[in-house]
Amino acid sequence: MMTDNITVAPPPSANPITANQPTQPEPALVLWLETVGNRDVATVGGKNASLGEMIAALRPSGVRIPDGFATTASAYRGFVATNHIEPRLRAALEAYRRGDADLPRTGDAIRRLFLEATLPEPLAAAVRAAYHALSARTGKTEPAVAVRSSATAEDLPDASFAGQQETFLNIVGEAALLDACRRCYASLFTDRAIAYREDKGFDHLAVALSIGVQPMVRSDLSGSGVMFSIDPESGFPRVVAISAAWGLGETVVQGSVDPDEYVVFKPLLGDGRLKPILDKRLGAKATKLIYAASGEARTSLVETSDHERRSFVLEDDEILELARWAVLIEDHYGRPMDMEWARDGETGEIFIVQARPETAGAGRKASLSLWRLTGKGVALTTGAAVGEAIASGPACIIRDPRDLARFPDGAILVTEMTDPDWTPLMRRAAGIITDHGGATSHAAIVSRELGVPAIVGTGTATAVLKNGQTITLSCAEGDRGVVYDGAVPFTREDVDLAALPEARTDLMINLATPGSSFRWWRLPAKGVGLARMEFIISDLIRIHPMALVHPERVTDPAARAEIEALTCGYSDKTEYFVDTLSRGIARIAAACHPHPAIVRLSDFKSNEYAHLIGGADFEPTEENPMLGFRGASRYYHERYRDGFALECRAIRRVRETIGMSNVIVMVPFCRTVDEADRVLAEMSRHGLVRGEDGLQIYMMCEIPANVILAEEFASRFDGFSIGSNDLTQLILGVDRDSEMLAPLFDERNAAVARSILEVIHRAHASGIKIGICGQAPSNYPEFAELLVHAGIDSISLNPDSFVATLRHVAKAEHAEIPAP
């Protein structure tokens, strides 16, 4: 349609912008989002094409996307031509390539070409008409809108241009909208966008810009964030990762706040009876971005309230709704996606406001790099690990990207936070460390894409690190990255997973902490053979369970204060324990689902329990804790029975509420058959009944009595797992922690080896499975060969020794095959 030579495509039904039919169709200057889709990237850019695609394809499935319109690439090219920008733009770029002008000077000169230009009247009229029609759709006079840039070469599967152009929020009125359009055009040539296109080999003049205009979702009155349909760190494809903060979403994208983080397991989302939320982490959320009350600024950064900092942004049902939308969007596009969402504080409705291909985790090949620290260093600070690599070098503290000239190539960038202006500098860094930001912040996203290890959200890096100080940045130790003083030696091994042999024996992995569980999903493991509950308790919970059951019995004021701080938000302190433990177990189980995850009940010694917060008031003093009040003996004893009840509650929640029915429970250090009966009775009392709902219960075989009475124990359990460390020390009478006796501690000793071979035979004769989870198969290839020849069902290994042991096992199995 045309009015006064203004070409505007109307919405498909109501609210036409123009009324007269042209004699010859002209390229539209404005299109409604619902009329465009993925086929229209060249017309409205990747961002707007994606929004239109979702409106048309996914709204019927319940995914909410705001209405809106977009200017076209033709409108942009008309703006450039009318204002005679191209010759001057080309001249500026040639001067930059010759070295006659640096990047900041070049970018500033090009942007002035756009900012000092005027919108052609046909385009300005088309935008005004569309804005009026949008006002009619929303029922609001001069609605506040978000004005977003959408380049025709952005958000492609092999090149993410996220954050390269600008977004303008809370734009009200025609004049402000037209001004924002001109600023959007100028942002096609931000310094970071120029550098990015130069690096990727895109022709600057071949890229056009579309402007998307949508009603503001009033997340300034509520919350917003970022969502990935894949774990962005490991590339694990079976989860949705969500970040959330109060206010407008720019704080999460830029990394200026530490957001809440949620992880949801996708395969169980279809069962409405379950809540497969694997992780919920409360972020500090110290500030939020809201609409400005007055003045030229459209938005204002303010401090959050104490209640907001202590509260999760999203309720469980909202987390699950977003996760289901992520699956729908991913399924529609056929690839992992990076999305932004916002919740309207007036209506309570959640909207998807952006979706683009995820390019970092999804782009990983069928290879695995094994990074290992081979030395020790003093830890200086920690934060969220981005990537799995290690880097050493001098620290360089930069607080403003304009100071990039003093950053030496190959140094480790240390800063408070980054935004897209930092991208050219980040390309030159060996590693990146920030004070603020989470796993979905700008620093994290760009670091992944560049393949540069980063530690974000340390809180203290710029304060504790010094310019020029040699440091080592390690992301190879789980989800928490560590910055060490000095150059700590490390190794890297690249493994071609496609070239790994297959084995008949089930090879499984031992996992210590939930945070590292997704790192190893590419390994061809047949499950988790040992997940130690006590690691989750000591690393994540930190409080003695009995101190949560009976806080009145904690005598240390400092311990009381720590308990209050850690359990903030939980009216029932025991729920803190159950909630944290259940999600930790569930995350480990999700990494190998549907293969089994064998979770060992807590096996702290009394001296180790005493070191937990509040633990000193509940633990006895023992001369020999290794042979004392540990393992099964605790579970039915009055001193710990109430604490064990919390462990059982957590296991039930993992299996029945979260849905990880692949969890197998394992009882450690069970000394007698009578003790086995008492533990099983105690578990039954708390709803964990062997055989009900497929529940299997295993026993650690780590005491000589377990070998001698194998048949009696086998009649009570579904499987054994040989703990070769304890079994060796108890058969040989050697303290496994003694340096003086270390030469005597050897699982290959005939007494130990014969006991292991015997219990394998007796377990199979009793009809139950048996595996091993000690270190011996990793340390000694000949020991692994012995187990294979004995017919052991499974061998569970530390992840970093999995590949080497798999090769040994496959070779041993092949050697068993007689020559034809």
Side-chain angles (χ1 to χ4, degrees):
M1 294 184 174
M2 292 188 63
T3 297
D4 298 328
N5 298 319
I6 302 168
T7 308
V8 183
S13 53
N15 300 318
I17 299 174
T18 55
N20 299 323
Q21 293 291 337
T23 55
Q24 290 292 332
E26 295 183 15
L29 300 177
V30 170
L31 295 169
W32 289 94
L33 289 178
E34 62 260 42
T35 68
V36 300
N38 286 341
R39 64 193 180 281
D40 299 306
V41 172
T43 302
V44 294
K47 188 179 301 178
N48 289 331
S50 180
L51 286 168
E53 180 78 14
M54 289 191 295
I55 288 174
L58 297 175
R59 263 188 181 171
S61 299
V63 182
R64 285 187 289 274
I65 303 100
D67 281 328
F69 62 88
T71 65
T72 63
S74 296
Y76 167 81
R77 293 190 174 97
F79 172 86
V80 170
T82 300
N83 288 281
H84 308 290
I85 289 174
E86 183 173 341
R88 291 173 289 170
L89 191 155
R90 287 189 181 277
L93 288 172
E94 286 301 320
Y96 170 60
R97 293 188 183 114
R98 289 195 308 268
D100 295 341
D102 60 14
L103 180 60
R105 180 180 171 187
T106 301
D108 181 67
I110 293 174
R111 289 190 294 275
R112 275 190 280 110
L113 296 177
F114 287 84
L115 294 173
E116 293 170 0
T118 58
L119 290 181
E121 181 52 30
L123 175 58
V127 171
R128 286 193 293 264
Y131 183 60
H132 291 158
L134 189 64
S135 174
R137 284 189 173 198
T138 62
K140 296 179 180 179
T141 303
E142 292 196 329
V145 293
V147 181
R148 293 186 169 91
S149 307
S150 178
T152 57
E154 72 176 348
D155 297 342
L156 304 178
D158 57 348
S160 171
F161 280 64
Q164 297 303 311
Q165 284 80 49
E166 300 288 358
T167 291
F168 302 96
L169 303 176
N170 192 28
I171 302 299
V172 180
E174 290 180 8
L177 175 57
L178 295 177
D179 180 61
C181 289
R182 189 167 58 249
R183 286 187 285 161
C184 270
Y185 282 159
S187 77
L188 186 59
F189 290 91
T190 58
D191 294 354
R192 58 190 181 260
I194 295 171
Y196 199 97
R197 287 194 294 270
E198 286 285 306
D199 182 67
K200 293 290 184 181
F202 283 87
D203 181 352
H204 296 276
L205 277 302
V207 179
L209 192 97
S210 167
I211 300 167
V213 180
Q214 293 175 286
M216 283 292 295
V217 176
R218 292 301 304 272
S219 58
D220 63 306
L221 302 175
S222 183
S224 55
V226 175
M227 176 167 64
F228 293 90
S229 66
I230 188 175
D231 177 49
E233 285 310 315
S234 64
F236 183 50
R238 308 183 76 197
V239 293
V240 174
I242 304 171
S243 295
W246 300 112
L248 303 172
E250 309 312 295
T251 57
V252 178
V253 174
Q254 294 172 0
S256 60
V257 298
D258 300 318
D260 295 344
E261 295 181 354
Y262 318 107
V263 178
V264 184
F265 191 56
K266 292 193 288 191
L268 300 180
L269 278 169
D271 190 334
R273 300 167 300 175
L274 303 176
K275 288 189 175 182
I277 302 173
L278 305 179
D279 206 356
K280 288 177 65 176
R281 300 189 187 187
L282 189 69
K285 306 185 297 293
T287 58
K288 64 178 179 179
L289 193 68
I290 61 172
Y291 288 177
S294 59
E296 292 185 6
R298 302 291 179 181
T299 58
S300 175
L301 191 67
V302 300
E303 292 186 355
T304 51
S305 67
D306 185 65
H307 175 73
E308 287 173 322
R309 296 177 192 185
R310 291 171 175 263
S311 302
F312 285 111
V313 174
L314 293 173
E315 300 291 337
D316 284 359
D317 288 346
E318 293 172 318
I319 295 169
L320 295 172
E321 179 180 49
L322 274 172
R324 291 187 181 101
W325 288 0
V327 172
L328 287 170
I329 294 169
E330 179 183 66
D331 287 347
H332 178 75
Y333 282 89
R335 61 174 67 99
M337 299 294 288
D338 169 0
M339 296 147 281
E340 294 179 24
W341 61 270
R343 183 175 61 196
D344 193 302
E346 294 179 336
T347 66
E349 292 180 317
I350 296 178
F351 293 86
I352 298 295
V353 295
Q354 189 168 316
R356 55 179 170 256
E358 197 277 342
T359 57
R364 300 191 181 194
K365 298 179 181 178
S367 63
L368 183 69
S369 294
L370 301 178
W371 298 80
R372 302 182 186 91
L373 289 172
T374 56
K376 296 183 179 180
V378 176
L380 301 175
T381 188
T382 66
V386 179
E388 299 163 1
I390 303 173
S392 287
C396 184
I397 301 175
I398 301 286
R399 300 184 185 275
D400 191 311
R402 289 174 293 186
D403 295 332
L404 59 86
R406 69 177 182 85
F407 183 84
D409 289 351
I412 294 179
L413 171 64
V414 182
T415 187
E416 294 175 354
M417 55 174 278
T418 69
D419 61 31
D421 288 326
W422 291 78
T423 303
L425 189 153
M426 296 167 74
R427 296 177 185 280
R428 298 162 48 203
I432 298 165
I433 305 170
T434 69
D435 287 345
H436 306 295
T440 55
S441 64
H442 174 268
I445 292 171
V446 173
S447 295
R448 288 187 203 102
E449 182 176 336
L450 297 176
V452 175
I455 299 177
V456 299
T458 65
T460 61
T462 56
V464 302
L465 303 179
K466 298 178 177 60
N467 266 317
Q469 176 183 8
T470 299
I471 58 174
T472 299
L473 177 162
S474 173
C475 296
E477 301 165 74
D479 64 336
R480 298 299 293 173
V482 183
V483 180
Y484 294 100
D485 188 22
V488 181
F490 62 89
T491 62
R492 171 183 175 176
E493 177 190 1
D494 293 324
V495 179
D496 182 358
L497 296 175
L500 290 179
E502 294 186 2
R504 297 193 307 274
T505 307
D506 285 345
L507 263 65
M508 308 171 82
I509 55 174
N510 303 329
L511 287 178
T513 59
S516 65
S517 57
F518 294 165
R519 288 182 60 198
W520 308 107
W521 71 273
R522 288 183 175 83
L523 291 175
K526 297 301 175 64
V528 174
L530 177 63
R532 302 173 179 91
M533 187 181 287
E534 61 268 18
F535 278 78
I536 302 174
I537 296 172
S538 62
D539 290 354
L540 300 183
I541 298 173
R542 299 173 51 203
I543 304 170
H544 195 291
M546 292 298 290
L548 296 168
V549 177
H550 296 291
E552 73 284 354
R553 289 163 54 184
V554 177
T555 57
D556 181 8
R560 284 177 175 263
E562 282 190 272
I563 291 170
E564 286 299 323
L566 287 170
T567 60
C568 174
Y570 290 89
S571 56
D572 177 0
K573 296 186 187 306
T574 65
E575 178 60 21
Y576 164 76
F577 184 96
V578 175
D579 187 41
T580 308
L581 180 57
S582 62
R583 295 195 196 283
I585 294 171
R587 187 179 176 111
I588 290 173
C592 66
H593 187 278
H595 294 303
I598 303 173
V599 178
R600 189 178 72 185
L601 298 167
S602 66
D603 191 24
F604 283 121
K605 289 77 175 175
S606 55
N607 59 323
E608 295 168 337
Y609 258 124
H611 290 150
L612 295 174
I613 299 170
D617 293 298
F618 299 95
E619 291 300 323
T621 300
E622 297 184 290
E623 291 295 328
N624 189 356
M626 184 71 75
L627 295 179
F629 190 45
R630 62 174 288 199
S633 62
R634 301 182 70 96
Y635 306 151
Y636 56 88
H637 196 284
E638 287 301 323
R639 294 188 73 123
Y640 190 73
R641 176 178 285 167
D642 291 343
F644 182 63
L646 303 186
E647 296 184 28
C648 292
R649 277 173 55 189
I651 292 288
R652 283 194 67 182
R653 184 171 299 179
V654 170
R655 289 177 53 85
E656 298 172 12
T657 302
I658 300 177
M660 293 295 158
S661 57
N662 61 321
V663 166
I664 295 172
V665 184
M666 185 155 66
V667 178
F669 222 76
C670 188
R671 294 171 167 96
T672 69
V673 173
D674 176 66
E675 187 165 73
D677 290 335
R678 298 185 69 174
V679 170
L680 292 171
E682 196 70 19
M683 294 175 69
S684 295
R685 194 164 71 88
H686 297 295
L688 294 177
V689 181
R690 180 187 171 203
E692 283 192 5
D693 298 320
L695 175 64
Q696 295 184 61
I697 302 178
Y698 282 19
M699 185 192 78
M700 288 289 292
C701 182
E702 54 191 339
I703 301 170
N706 302 149
V707 178
I708 296 167
L709 301 177
E711 288 81 6
E712 286 86 342
F713 283 109
S715 68
R716 289 160 171 81
F717 294 98
D718 298 288
F720 291 161
S721 183
I722 301 167
S724 59
N725 294 340
D726 269 338
L727 189 60
T728 300
Q729 80 168 343
L730 292 174
I731 288 176
L732 298 180
V734 175
D735 181 354
R736 72 191 209 193
D737 295 327
S738 171
E739 293 183 8
M740 291 186 295
L741 300 179
L744 296 175
F745 187 92
D746 191 338
E747 297 93 330
R748 296 169 296 176
N749 179 279
V752 179
R754 288 181 189 178
S755 295
I756 289 175
L757 294 178
E758 180 181 350
V759 80
I760 292 173
H761 170 75
R762 295 169 72 175
H764 286 161
S766 299
I768 68 169
K769 289 185 176 182
I770 184 166
I772 188 169
C773 58
Q775 280 295 107
S778 304
N779 296 339
Y780 311 114
E782 67 272 27
F783 194 86
E785 183 177 348
L786 179 73
L787 296 171
V788 169
H789 291 167
I792 198 163
D793 295 297
S794 64
I795 299 174
S796 194
L797 309 151
N798 290 338
D800 59 1
S801 61
F802 183 94
V803 171
T805 308
L806 171 59
R807 290 173 177 146
H808 292 314
V809 168
K811 183 178 180 181
E813 291 177 346
H814 182 73
E816 290 183 306
I817 302 173

